[in-house]
């Protein structure tokens, strides 16, 4: 026994007199009473207040223009057209005119928005094959079962990119034209590249290794998704490097939105030339829409959003307001507590004794 | 009896017949042959082959069976099955929510943690099995014709083994030979039943006459005995010799595995049961699994969680169905068809979704809760183990938690049931005073010395016990044996009988003679008495020298010397020498056995006409047989047809005598230690005996040797005197006395010395003939002794009376004849012997009385006081007699001199019923008078009796409500208790008992103890704790919710049965008040926190369902979802659950009231679960919607939005824990920091590891991007603040405005020590000042079982509605003595359950309910009550005189003498003045005075 315990003698089993074993570790035991809590409350209220005010000021400086084009302008024709599935293959373009009363300064971001489109459905979200998108040849020809029922087309050819997500890609396209008060209409230059996460474009989405083959060759033996009008390797006719799985629009679409009402980045204002160097100047704008995406089935709306951003995101007043409200609440509570403590504090102290 | 009558018949049965019978019989018996005969016959032919070998295996698993068996066992837990079910559900594609493999992770983790724990435990068992299996013992080897060393595991049934002194028995062995001349073998059964005194075992009678050289080769018997069973006290069988002769075997022949051979140099036996079939192993029950109250409560809430889960799933399923339905036939583009390409109907998808949701929401059922609780409990147990304050230096032992899973129950106890002797008291009897021939010798010096001992108690005892521990032997053999002892003890040879600590303690105790601490041994004699003894013995010496008859001695001196002789010899003490502990000292001067036969008697005494032959006492029991040995040779030889045996027998007798002359066995002859006279050690069966023998020794009257037939006493001047021991009439609890019949060597008279309880002896004193002066003297002695006895009892001393009787030879012969008849009787022998003893013990002459103190353990009164302040009801259940128990109860502050005592003594069922009813009335009345003037104390109205009384159905009493405890003590004796525990009365009994502050049950049997505990536990639905130290407490310990054993002198049996083992009673205080409180509050808080945490986390996902079409998708990544509980949020709560201290240990002990917290389950009430749930839902709303709105209308993707939510939830949960944490040690900080860091590390690694692996979420680089996003940080600030604001505010408000007692305790903690002490002491002073008023002396006597029941029932109609307000007035006057006490307290003192407790905290103002006042009784009733109260008709029962209730100023006695003359119940009240005068009387006279007063008032 002595051997095991390393000590023997009369008090061999005496427990160690260490602070830990005797549960006497030095400890800070805060008391949640008015005296200790009130300073904290006031401090928190102050901090929240300051942050709130600061954020509010920041948000105030942003501008946002939302344009629901579902049935706006000439798009009502297209809207009706898309109601019928048999017209899916027909093209339809429409124009919406809108004014910008106050110039959007700085970087302007062009979003398309969808309402009531549930990209966050569990089975919809699962219906994709990341292995395929990352360029694995095996997955290209044998898409994962997650993609069911969008793995093979009627001919048994594997679909690339497979799955419901890719299948339902948003396929409207936009051109924005500026009609300045003087001078001709100028097409607003939009940067359609670099709108994805860097990691997505470079890591998560890769085309299959092509070994000097063209993309078309690589994708030979695969079929385009059911609802697509063109194959994946011809998504961007202008820029051959923006095709296949690394097409920016595809990547943006594949990043499933969190809410049924969402917007996705379409492009960023290219500010290299006049009059867009400082953003979008005030004036009339037309937007030409290649109207393909049907939203009737789900009572959806489509919109275009032009906005400038702050350092913490778009024009969203919620956060500053939340800060301010919280700050007020804390202050209110703090005052209540102060009053209570003032009135009954002595009582409490007496109890203590 | 039956066995013996069977025997001849069985013996007649022929062998053939038996052979035929064997087959059916084999089910009932086991036949053991000696292995030697079959040594060459391997396997098949060995008749013992079917019996278990001695290899023990207590492991549960083997390598192969571990996995299936362990899994099977784990699946017994419903939760595990549930989680596995969910994990498997994930493999169904239609409903799966997560990656199936991932979903298995938590279950696998939980299962493997438990499995590893089990494996480790099993491995430890295996190791200790190995150790035990490889211990050595000596087994006879046929080939070598000698005993050879073998491992224990190789011992087989039928082997002959030789055992040496201090060896541990490897198996159950039938004793065939012993080196002891009396054919005895002494064993110590401490590891088995915990009793440290030696037990004697006898060699099988047929081998009686063989000497040490038992030759196994010559053995040829066949043993038939019982199948293995676990009854330690039963063994039956017989041995069949080749000759066909059969000898019965009894338990006295069996040495049990695990016992230690003591005092016997060598013994040989045959193995009967081995290994797992030994009685010791069969007695090993595994540790008990109890479910704590908290856990039961928790399970209810787990059930609620399941309901919440189902509701949520159902809600989601219905929502999904509706959502699908709204799209009608046109499916939106984002609705994914089934793999077959067909639409799912909304109903089908709803059903699938329901299952999916169960998987997604599974976190709500806290999978890790069960594991966490186990971990926390293990840590708690560890800390309790490590507590220095619970460590006893004297015995080098600390508290042991034997039940690992009920630590928190310690914090919720409401009733404590305690044993008295050995639990409250030390069970060390100390001689304090004595009175001889009516003269008191106060032993002042002794008292002073004892006081001194008390101070330096610990060091002193420690030293001596260690002096005793070290074996002072030089010889190799003894060294070896000592080593064997230590080693084998340390291997936990009988694991579950106790831990190493116990084993070691037992070994210390055994070396050290039982029951003899220096305190008991060293007695400072009273000088006066010592002188007298000296004088007396010198005179006797002189007279002997001059051949004068001893009767000339002055009678007082003669009494003194007789007194001491009686102390010395009237016992069963065994003498041993100190350097060879447990070696009997033998000094045989002549060889005479106790009178066994009439022939013997005739031979030894003057021949008389009594020649009618009586048979030899072949069937005498061990009690008498213990002293019979040599004398039995005749009987042995008579049936023995075996020549060898007879021969041996003849040869052996003289040899044995020679051998027995040596005082020390030859083995130890080399020993140089001188036997000093004073250094003898005494081993007694009870500590009282030892104390008395030591006391006598202090007066130079020492016992130097005891043999079956004689006792040797050394007296000053006279030298060694041998008393011929004719009979020993052993102690039994009915007679309450023992006697020895000896022949006095000086006077040659046959003298009976009797020692016994005063109540028993006093009735047997010869009524003195008042004529002679001697008679007058006798009368004076008796009355004086009675006086002193009362005084002793009042001091809490155990009293014993010593008496003697001189028998003339004729008387003796006359008695002897009938006694021998009794001894030889076949039927009803016990009763006959009992009668015979009664015949002898009459007409005694009182010599004197002794007062022995059973010292209270240190700190017992303080512990009881503080436990009581903690709101615990303490009941003492003792086997002691009422008087002693009451006095001890006073001494340990269980009863308060101020409180009134209800004494219930009844002789019949009806009487008991009546008594209980009266007590109820009395309590009712008292309650009324104490409550009428105190509106503020109205919460008394939940007064139990009122509820129970009317219907006396258990359902009518509201069990949960607090009930009043009056300033009453209840004393009930065993017999009355038996009646009271009857089904018809138990409710009434409970009603009475629960309203008494303390209850004392005397003379209760172990069964009654457990019945009382069971009754209280089941009927009152309270948490009970039973504490005891002896075998008689085992049943009570097992019945109670928590059983505590005192690992004290009486050893291990109570400990074996207990959940916690304490070295001392006083440790109970810290165990309950501190550790219990902590464990409870920690665990309760942790469980609540767990529920909160899971609900909060799951609710986040639930809210999201509103935004994803109730499709069961989660914005929280599956990894986070699954590992959140297991990893990210697991550690801080474990740390807090283990280390958090709401109040410091010091404050908890100084303010026992804080214990009420746990009793009322205030940390975890049912509503708290719901409050936590609501809080959880609120917090999750905040955590969900702040990010939701912050990201709404943005291009955020699901997991980029979900990850911040996870982070926020984690932060909120951690900060929430921070708010709930009361003490922050560095470990808390570390754990929280670690949790946060762990989350971010895992998230970063996970998000960087693989771009495609984690379908479908695939959150590549999400965390990294988030960390660059300022919005994320802004959210991290605002969300936890907003989420925790309400709780924080609530806590702050509550802490400021309505602090709970616990919070006040914490505030006290914060104060500097001095201030705190001042506050506490201030409170005490206040309390003290309020104690002055005395309650009235009330005596309720119930003279007859029948009588005015009618009247009583009339006066207290069973419906309380008829009670009017009149009694209020009537009672005003009576209540006045209580008035001042109560009015002092004021209305603030609502907390005071017990009126005397002035020192309850005043902060209890917020104690919630102020229930309505009870309705006072009707005018009529009150009048009746008043009348009865005023009537002063007391029938004084006999025991008042013998019960010195000195300190009880207020006492209510409900007495039912069997044949009362008065036929009516009367309530009697003495006036207060009388009481006060009573007070001023000197204590010594007070009893009588009080008694006389009562008599006076009897009218």
């Amino acid at each position: 026994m002595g051997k095991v315990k390393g000590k023997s003698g009369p008090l061999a089993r005496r427990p160690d007199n260490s602070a830990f074993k005797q549960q006497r570790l030095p400890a800070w035991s805060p008391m949640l009473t008015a005296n200790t809590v009130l300073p904290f409350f006031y401090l928190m209220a102050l901090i929240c207040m300051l942050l709130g005010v600061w954020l509010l000021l920041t948000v105030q400086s942003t501008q946002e223009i939302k344009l629901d084009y579902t049935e706006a302008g000439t798009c009502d024709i297209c809207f009706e057209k898309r109601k019928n599935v048999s017209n899916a293959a027909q093209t339809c373009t429409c124009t919406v005119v809108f004014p910008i009363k106050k110039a959007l300064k700085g970087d302007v971001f062009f979003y398309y928005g969808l309402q009531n489109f549930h990209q966050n459905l569990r089975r919809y979200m699962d219906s994709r094959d990341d292995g395929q998108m990352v360029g694995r040849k095996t997955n290209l020809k044998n898409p994962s079962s997650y993609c069911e029922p969008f793995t093979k087309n009627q001919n048994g050819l594997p679909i690339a990119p497979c799955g419901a997500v890719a299948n339902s890609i948003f396929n409207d396209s936009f051109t924005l034209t500026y009609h300045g008060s003087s001078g001709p209409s100028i097409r607003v230059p939009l940067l359609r590249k670099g709108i994805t996460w860097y990691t997505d474009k470079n890591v998560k989405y890769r085309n299959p290794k092509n070994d000097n083959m063209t993309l078309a060759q690589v994708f030979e033996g695969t079929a385009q998704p059911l609802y697509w009008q063109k194959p994946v390797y011809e998504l961007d006719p202008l820029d051959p490097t923006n095709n296949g799985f690394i097409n920016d629009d595809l990547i943006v679409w594949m990043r499933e939105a969190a809410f049924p009402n969402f917007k996705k980045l379409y492009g960023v204002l290219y500010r290299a030339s006049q009059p867009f160097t400082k953003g979008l100047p005030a004036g009339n704008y037309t937007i030409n829409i290649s109207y393909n995406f049907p939203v009737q089935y789900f009572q959806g709306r489509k919109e275009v959003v032009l906005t400038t951003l702050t350092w913490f995101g778009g024009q969203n007043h919620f956060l500053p307001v939340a800060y301010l409200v919280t700050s007020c609440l804390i202050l209110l509570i703090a005052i209540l507590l102060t009053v209570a403590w003032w009135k009954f504090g002595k009582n409490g102290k007496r109890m203590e004794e | 009896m039956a066995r013996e009558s069977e025997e001849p018949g069985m013996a007649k049965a022929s062998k053939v017949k038996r052979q035929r019978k064997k087959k059916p019989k084999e089910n009932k018996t086991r036949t053991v042959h000696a292995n030697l005969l079959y040594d060459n016959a391997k396997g098949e032919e060995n008749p013992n082959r079917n019996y278990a070998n001695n290899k023990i295996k207590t492991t549960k698993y083997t390598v192969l069976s571990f996995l299936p068996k362990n899994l099977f066992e784990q699946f017994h837990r419903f939760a595990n099955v549930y989680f596995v079910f969910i994990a498997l559900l994930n493999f169904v594609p239609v409903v799966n929510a997560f990656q199936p493999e991932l979903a298995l992770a938590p279950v696998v983790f939980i299962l493997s943690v438990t499995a590893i724990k089990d494996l480790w435990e099993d491995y430890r068992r295996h190791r200790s099995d190995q150790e035990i299996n490889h211990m050595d013992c000596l087994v006879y080897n046929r080939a070598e014709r000698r005993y050879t060393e073998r491992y224990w595991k190789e011992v087989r049934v039928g082997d002959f083994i030789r055992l040496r002194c201090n060896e541990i028995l490897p198996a159950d062995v039938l004793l065939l030979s012993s080196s002891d001349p009396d054919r005895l073998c002494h064993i110590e059964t401490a590891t088995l039943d915990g009793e440290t005194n030696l037990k004697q075992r006898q060699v099988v009678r047929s081998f009686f006459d063989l000497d040490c050289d038992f030759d196994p080769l010559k053995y040829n018997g066949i043993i038939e005995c019982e199948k293995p069973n676990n009854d330690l006290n039963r063994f039956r069988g017989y041995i069949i010799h080749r000759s066909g002769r059969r000898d019965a075997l009894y338990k006295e022949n069996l040495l049990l595995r695990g016992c230690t051979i003591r005092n016997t140099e060598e013994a040989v036996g045959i193995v009967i049961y081995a290994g797992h079939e030994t009685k010791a192993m069969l007695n090993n029950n595994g540790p008990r699994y109890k479910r704590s109250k908290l856990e039961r409560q928790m399970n209810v809430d787990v059930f609620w969680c399941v309901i919440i889960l189902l509701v949520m799933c159902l809600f989601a399923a219905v929502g999904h169905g509706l959502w699908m339905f709204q799209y009608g036939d046109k499916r939106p583009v984002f609705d994914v068809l089934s793999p077959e390409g067909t639409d799912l109907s909304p109903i089908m998808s709803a059903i699938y979704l329901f299952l999916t949701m169960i998987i997604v929401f599974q976190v709500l059922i806290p999978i890790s809760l069960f594991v966490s609780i186990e971990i926390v409990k293990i840590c708690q147990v560890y800390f309790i183990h490590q507590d220095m304050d619970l460590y006893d230096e004297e015995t080098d032992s600390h508290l042991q938690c034997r039940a690992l899973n009920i630590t928190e129950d310690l914090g919720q106890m409401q009733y404590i049931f305690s044993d008295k002797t050995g639990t409250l008291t030390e069970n060390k009897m100390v001689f304090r005073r004595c009175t001889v021939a009516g003269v008191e010798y106060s032993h002042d010096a002794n008292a002073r010395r004892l006081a001194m001992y008390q101070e330096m108690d610990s060091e002193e005892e420690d030293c001596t016990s260690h002096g005793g521990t070290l074996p002072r032997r030089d010889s190799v053999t003894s060294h070896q044996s000592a080593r064997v002892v230590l080693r084998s003890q340390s291997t936990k040879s009988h694991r579950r009988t106790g831990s190493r600590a116990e084993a070691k303690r037992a070994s210390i105790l055994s070396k050290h003679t039982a029951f003899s601490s220096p305190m008991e041994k060293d007695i400072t004699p009273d000088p006066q008495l010592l002188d007298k003894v000296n004088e007396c013995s010198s005179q006797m010496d002189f007279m002997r020298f001059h051949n004068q008859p001893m009767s000339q001695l002055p009678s007082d001196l003669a009494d003194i010397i007789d007194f001491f002789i009686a102390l010395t010899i009237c016992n069963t003490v065994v003498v041993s020498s100190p350097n060879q502990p447990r070696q009997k000292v033998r000094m045989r001067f002549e060889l005479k056995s106790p009178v066994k036969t009439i022939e013997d008697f005739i031979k030894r005494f003057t021949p008389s006409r009594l020649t009618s032959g009586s048979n030899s006492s072949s069937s005498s029991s061990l009690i008498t047989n213990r002293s019979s040995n040599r004398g039995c040779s005749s009987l042995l030889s008579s049936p023995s047809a075996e020549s060898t045996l007879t021969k041996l027998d003849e040869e052996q007798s003289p040899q044995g005598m020679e051998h027995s002359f040596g005082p020390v066995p030859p083995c130890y002859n080399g020993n140089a230690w001188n036997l000093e006279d004073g250094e003898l050690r005494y081993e007694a069966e009870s500590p009282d005996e030892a104390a008395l023998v030591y006391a006598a020794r202090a007066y130079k009257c020492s016992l130097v040797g005891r043999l079956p037939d004689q006792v040797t006493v050394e007296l000053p001047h006279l030298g060694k005197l041998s008393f011929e021991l004719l009979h020993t009439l052993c102690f039994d609890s009915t007679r309450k006395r023992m006697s020895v019949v000896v022949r006095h060597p000086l006077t040659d008279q046959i003298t009976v010395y009797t020692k016994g309880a005063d109540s028993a002896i006093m009735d047997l004193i010869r009524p003195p003939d008042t004529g002679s002066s001697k008679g007058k003297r006798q009368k004076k002695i008796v009355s004086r002794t009675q006086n002193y006895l009362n005084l002793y009892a009042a001091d809490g001393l155990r009293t014993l009376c010593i008496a003697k009787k001189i028998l003339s030879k004729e008387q003796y012969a006359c008695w002897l004849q009938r006694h021998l008849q009794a001894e030889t009787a076949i039927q009803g022998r016990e009763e006959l012997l009992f009668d015979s003893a009664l015949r002898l013990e009459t007409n005694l002459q009182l010599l004197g009385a002794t007062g022995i103190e059973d010292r209270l353990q240190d700190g017992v009164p303080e512990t009881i006081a503080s436990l009581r302040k903690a709101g615990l009801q303490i009941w003492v259940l003792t086997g002691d007699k009422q008087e002693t128990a009451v006095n001890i109860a006073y001494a340990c502050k269980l009863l308060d001199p101020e409180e009134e005592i209800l004494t219930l003594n009844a002789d019949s069922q009806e009487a008991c019923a009546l008594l209980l009813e009266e007590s109820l009335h009395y309590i009712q009345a008292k309650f009324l008078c104490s409550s009428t003037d105190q509106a503020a104390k109205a919460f008394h109205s939940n007064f139990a009796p009122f509820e129970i009384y009317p219907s006396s159905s258990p359902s009518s009493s509201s069990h949960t409500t607090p009930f009043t405890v009056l300033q009453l003590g209840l004393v009930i004796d065993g017999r009355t208790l038996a009646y009271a525990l009857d089904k018809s009365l138990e409710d009434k009994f409970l009603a009475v008992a629960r309203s008494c502050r303390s209850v004392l049950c005397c003379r209760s049997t172990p069964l009654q103890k457990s019945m009382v505990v069971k009754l209280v536990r089941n009927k009152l639905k309270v948490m009970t704790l039973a504490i005891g130290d002896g075998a008689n407490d085992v049943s009570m310990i097992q019945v109670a919710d928590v059983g505590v054993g005192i690992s004290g002198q009486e050893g291990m049996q109570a400990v074996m049965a207990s959940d916690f083992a304490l070295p001392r009673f006083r440790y109970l205080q810290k165990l309950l008040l501190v550790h219990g409180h902590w464990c409870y509050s920690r665990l309760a808080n942790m469980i609540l926190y767990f529920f909160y945490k899971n609900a909060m986390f799951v609710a986040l996902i639930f809210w999201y369902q509103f935004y994803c079409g109730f499709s069961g998708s989660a914005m929280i990544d599956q990894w986070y979802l699954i590992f959140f509980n297991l990893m990210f949020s697991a550690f801080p709560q474990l740390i807090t659950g283990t280390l958090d201290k709401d109040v410091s240990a010091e404050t908890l002990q100084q303010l026992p009231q804080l214990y009420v917290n746990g009793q009322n389950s205030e940390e975890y009430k049912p509503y708290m679960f719901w409050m936590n749930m609501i809080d959880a839902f609120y917090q999750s709303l905040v955590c969900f919607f702040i990010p939701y709105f912050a990201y709404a209308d943005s291009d955020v993707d699901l997991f980029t939005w979900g990850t911040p939510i996870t982070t926020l939830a984690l932060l909120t949960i951690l900060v929430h824990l921070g708010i709930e944490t009361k003490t922050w040690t560095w470990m808390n900080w570390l754990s929280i920091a670690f949790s946060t860091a762990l989350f971010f590390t895992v998230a970063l690694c996970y998000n960087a590891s693989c771009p495609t692996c984690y379908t479908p979420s695939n959150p590549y680089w999400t965390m990294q991007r988030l960390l660059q996003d300022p919005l994320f940080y802004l959210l991290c600030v605002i969300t936890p603040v907003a989420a925790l604001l309400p709780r924080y505010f609530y806590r702050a408000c509550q802490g400021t405005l309505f602090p709970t007692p616990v919070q006040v305790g914490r505030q006290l903690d914060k104060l500097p020590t001095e201030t705190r002490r001042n506050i506490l002491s201030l409170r005490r002073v206040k309390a003290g000042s309020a104690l002055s008023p005395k309650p009235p002396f009330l005596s309720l006597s119930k003279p007859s079982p029948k009588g005015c029941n009618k009247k009583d029932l009339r006066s207290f109609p069973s419906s309380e509605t008829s009670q009017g307000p009149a009694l209020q007035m009537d009672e005003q006057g009576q209540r006045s003595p209580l008035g001042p006490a109560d009015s002092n307290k004021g209305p603030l003192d609502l907390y005071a359950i017990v009126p005397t407790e002035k020192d309850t905290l005043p902060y209890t103002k917020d104690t919630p309910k102020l229930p309505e006042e009870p309705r006072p009784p009707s005018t009529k009733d009150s009048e009746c009550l008043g009348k009865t109260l005023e009537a002063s008709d007391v029938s004084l029962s006999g025991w008042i005189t013998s019960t010195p209730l000195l300190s009880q100023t207020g006492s209510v006695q409900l007495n039912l003498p069997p044949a009362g003359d008065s036929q009516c119940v009367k309530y009697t009240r003495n006036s207060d003045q009388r009481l006060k005068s009573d007070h001023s009387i000197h204590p010594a006279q007070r009893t009588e005075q009080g008694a006389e007063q009562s008599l006076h008032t009897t009218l």
Side-chain angles (χ1 to χ4, degrees), chain B residues 512-513 516 521 574-578 679-683 694:
Chain B
H512 183 63
T513 313
S516 53
K521 282 194 292 187
V574 177
V575 187
S576 64
S577 64
E679 283 300 309
L680 293 171
R681 283 166 189 270
Y682 300 124
E683 288 179 21
Y694 279 115

Side-chain angles (χ1 to χ4, degrees), chain B residues 1160-1185:
Chain B
N1160 300 344
S1161 302
E1162 275 169 28
E1163 299 283 335
Y1164 183 14
K1165 298 218 176 219
Y1167 79 87
M1168 286 179 175
F1169 169 75
W1170 295 107
M1171 293 301 290
N1172 261 284
M1173 282 293 153
I1174 290 167
D1175 193 28
F1177 278 81
Y1178 163 76
Q1179 290 187 19
S1180 68
L1181 275 177
V1182 171
C1183 283
F1184 179 83
F1185 281 102

Side-chain angles (χ1 to χ4, degrees), chain B residues 108 202 233 250 315 413 542 573-574 733 772 903 949 1061 1218 1326 1387 1397 1413 1415:
Chain B
V108 170
Q202 272 188 319
N233 291 317
Y250 309 113
F315 187 92
M413 286 300 136
F542 178 81
V573 168
V574 177
S733 51
S772 66
T903 309
Y949 180 60
K1326 250 192 272 168
E1397 283 183 41
E1413 229 179 306
R1415 272 165 246 134

Side-chain angles (χ1 to χ4, degrees), chain B residues 704-752:
Chain B
V704 290
R706 171 178 289 273
L707 291 173
D709 54 349
Q710 73 172 30
V711 191
T712 312
V713 178
E714 190 172 279
L715 287 167
H717 305 292
L718 292 167
K720 282 178 182 154
L721 289 180
S722 290
F723 288 77
E724 193 178 330
L725 193 58
L726 302 173
H727 298 277
T728 307
L729 304 172
C730 277
F731 181 86
D732 74 53
S733 51
T734 339
R735 270 163 53 231
K736 297 186 218 162
R737 57 186 177 260
M738 77 168 286
S739 303
V740 288
V741 186
V742 295
R743 185 146 59 154
H744 201 293
L746 295 178
T747 58
D748 217 35
Q749 283 166 319
I750 294 166
T751 313
V752 181

